Each structure stands twice: as C-alpha cells, then as structure tokens.
Amino acid sequence: MPKPLALIIEDDPEIGNILSLSLENEFKIELLNDGNEALMRLAEVVPALIMLDLYLPTVSGMEIFAQI
C-alpha cells in the first residue's frame, strides 16, 4: 500500500529537512519552499498532511491556509 502524501511547506532548508526526516517513515514527502509553488501543488493534490510555515516568500502561510 502506498504511503499517504505529506506536503511540507517551509522556506528554511534546515527546518524542512528536520520535518522530512521525522515523517519519512510514514509519509511520502514533498518539500516546497515558496507560497506560489505550494498553491500550484495544492491545486493538483489533496495531501493527508500539510506542515505549513506562516512566513513564506511570495504568498504567506496565512493566505495559503485561508485558501485551503
């Protein structure tokens, strides 16, 4: 059975890697580091889990949260 998808939307590479490592056993991980990129991906998939930084370049995490 395939792993469920987790989107990690985080612009700090170090934090993104820590979150990825903590979830990789249970989820297929996609790491996104830009608000626009995240919105485009969310238009294509419905992830099982979203880890969302509130302070992102181009589109804030709060704007993404409101659209979700």
Side-chain angles (χ1 to χ4, degrees), residues 22-45:
S22 67
L23 297 171
E24 69 184 2
N25 288 335
E26 300 298 323
F27 293 91
K28 175 185 174 198
I29 305 296
E30 287 188 31
L31 184 56
L32 308 170
N33 59 18
D34 175 87
N36 277 333
E37 180 184 15
L39 286 175
M40 288 189 298
R41 188 62 178 135
L42 285 165
E44 300 170 346
V45 297

Side-chain angles (χ1 to χ4, degrees), residues 9-68:
I9 306 167
E10 171 61 61
D11 62 330
D12 183 317
E14 201 168 310
I15 294 172
N17 285 334
I18 290 168
L19 293 171
S20 294
L21 288 171
S22 67
L23 297 171
E24 69 184 2
N25 288 335
E26 300 298 323
F27 293 91
K28 175 185 174 198
I29 305 296
E30 287 188 31
L31 184 56
L32 308 170
N33 59 18
D34 175 87
N36 277 333
E37 180 184 15
L39 286 175
M40 288 189 298
R41 188 62 178 135
L42 285 165
E44 300 170 346
V45 297
V46 178
L49 176 70
I50 299 172
M51 301 287 293
L52 178 60
D53 183 0
L54 296 181
Y55 303 102
L56 295 166
T58 67
V59 178
S60 76
M62 288 303 292
E63 292 177 64
I64 294 169
F65 180 73
Q67 290 192 34
I68 294 172

